[in-house]
Amino acid sequence: MKRLFHVVMTAILLMGVFIAPSITLADSSGTTEAINEKFGAPIVVYGGNLTEEQKNSVKTSLKITENSDIQEIEVTGQDLKKYLTDGDASARMFSSAKITRKDAGKGLVIDIVTPDNITEVTADMYANAMLTAGVQDAVVEIAAPKPVTGHSALVGIYKAYEVSGGELDPERTDVANDELSVATILSKEAGIDEAKVSELLTEIKKQIAEQNPVSREEVEKIVSEQLANLKIELSEKDRQLLIDIMDRIRQLDIDFSKWSDQLNDLSKTIEEKLGSLADNEGFWQSVKTFFNDLIDSIRSIFN
């Protein structure tokens, strides 16, 4: 019986090690980041269909207070029509975002602050689409007060980027939105892991930037090679969908020499996330092994 007591106590202590939540202390210094006068104050763009209560919820999620030095605008169906060829002016918009422009070379930082309410689009998917659209060097925080797919946040980001002085090509924003749709289709309908979808899109675009293909056939070859490299299998329909969007990207007016560096940065971020996921799988396998061994030990006591 004493042996059983020691085994159980060991299990309880180790369970605490395995499942105790990690705690990160918030910065209580009260310091605020200086505004970059080149771009002005950060811009918060609210979905035009938010109720006052929902808008306050978004403000809380984005840590906006009465003392926050920001510009506030709304995004509506009319903006959707402006940036997307087939945009519906009557569309309801709930996704919201805060964008802080940064100096050249700082890259994109995407933070979905309400992950449970953005159901289809991941931070890496946003980053990929933003690069295609021409949005760069910014910190972007995305929030929604209730579960939404997250697609309309991209239009709000376009509007905020231009309000802060950036210029976007409507053809690029349209292709970027379609790219986001393809990404969610591959993830949701084809069942490919979201991080793998982002890795696939990034690697194909890197090869387009490096090889500068001049025909659809050359794009198709790049797509096929990257699908094989990443061991991803697609239906013929989804494969053609991917080729179509990448061929449209090939034809955009993009300085691919500069684009390549940004894609490399995004690629490293995605690889780190995939590595982290692999580490987590190893951790939980060790937990499973521990409890299997524990059960065997308890059984041995009564045998």
Side-chain angles (χ1 to χ4, degrees):
M1 186 59 68
K2 185 179 291 185
R3 184 181 171 194
L4 175 60
F5 173 78
H6 285 306
V7 170
V8 173
M9 286 304 296
T10 300
I12 291 172
L13 290 172
L14 286 173
M15 281 177 68
V17 172
F18 283 131
I19 66 176
S22 60
I23 299 174
T24 302
L25 297 178
D27 182 3
S28 59
S29 63
T31 58
T32 56
E33 185 176 357
I35 291 175
N36 188 327
E37 293 180 316
K38 186 190 303 181
F39 305 118
I43 296 177
V44 179
V45 53
Y46 301 105
N49 293 101
L50 295 176
T51 64
E52 196 60 33
E53 182 180 358
Q54 289 172 333
K55 189 174 179 180
N56 288 332
S57 173
V58 166
K59 286 184 177 182
T60 299
S61 298
L62 293 173
K63 298 180 180 178
I64 296 168
T65 68
E66 292 180 357
N67 298 322
S68 297
D69 195 348
I70 56 172
Q71 299 180 60
E72 295 179 292
I73 60 176
E74 283 190 349
V75 61
T76 68
Q78 290 297 327
D79 296 303
L80 197 69
K81 191 174 180 180
K82 173 184 176 181
Y83 292 108
L84 309 180
T85 301
D86 58 352
D88 183 359
S90 63
R92 293 171 61 78
M93 315 284 278
F94 293 98
S95 304
S96 304
K98 176 183 176 184
I99 180 167
T100 306
R101 295 278 304 279
K102 298 293 183 180
D103 290 322
K106 294 294 185 181
L108 280 175
V109 177
I110 315 298
D111 182 14
I112 300 177
V113 299
T114 57
D116 291 340
N117 287 342
I118 304 295
T119 62
E120 289 188 6
V121 186
T122 67
D124 294 328
M125 289 179 186
Y126 278 123
N128 248 315
M130 285 179 212
L131 288 179
T132 297
V135 177
Q136 54 189 341
D137 301 315
V139 174
V140 179
E141 300 162 82
I142 298 162
K146 64 178 184 178
V148 294
T149 62
H151 288 77
S152 67
L154 199 57
V155 175
I157 292 164
Y158 296 158
K159 184 174 183 177
Y161 191 75
E162 290 204 314
V163 166
S164 65
E167 293 184 9
L168 296 175
D169 178 350
E171 186 177 3
R172 286 183 65 169
T173 59
D174 188 55
V175 172
N177 188 72
D178 287 346
E179 178 190 337
L180 193 63
S181 296
V182 170
T184 54
I185 287 172
L186 294 181
S187 175
K188 189 176 181 182
E189 297 181 17
I192 303 171
D193 180 80
E194 294 167 339
K196 291 293 286 185
V197 170
S198 294
E199 184 181 27
L200 174 63
L201 295 177
T202 304
E203 293 305 315
I204 291 173
K205 289 197 288 188
K206 281 172 61 178
Q207 291 306 310
I208 289 175
E210 292 173 12
Q211 298 182 32
N212 195 22
V214 296
S215 67
R216 179 184 172 88
E217 288 70 28
E218 291 180 2
V219 170
E220 185 171 358
K221 181 183 178 186
I222 290 173
V223 169
S224 297
E225 288 173 349
Q226 294 310 310
L227 285 171
N229 288 344
L230 297 174
K231 297 180 174 57
I232 295 175
E233 295 185 8
L234 295 179
S235 67
E236 187 56 29
K237 177 183 176 183
D238 289 335
R239 184 172 171 276
Q240 290 303 318
L241 199 63
L242 184 58
I243 293 169
D244 288 344
I245 193 64
M246 290 301 163
D247 190 47
R248 289 177 65 194
I249 288 175
R250 168 188 70 85
Q251 299 175 62
L252 291 174
D253 182 16
I254 295 176
D255 184 343
F256 285 110
S257 62
K258 293 181 180 179
W259 215 43
S260 185
D261 291 337
Q262 298 170 45
L263 288 167
N264 283 331
D265 290 340
L266 179 57
S267 180
K268 290 176 184 176
T269 300
I270 295 171
E271 287 174 3
E272 288 172 0
K273 287 185 179 180
L274 287 169
S276 177
L277 287 172
D279 291 343
N280 286 340
E281 289 176 2
F283 168 76
W284 287 113
Q285 181 59 46
S286 68
V287 174
K288 180 180 178 181
T289 301
F290 164 75
F291 281 106
N292 284 339
D293 292 344
L294 175 64
I295 291 170
D296 290 340
S297 297
I298 292 174
R299 283 175 177 165
S300 68
I301 294 173
F302 293 98
N303 289 339

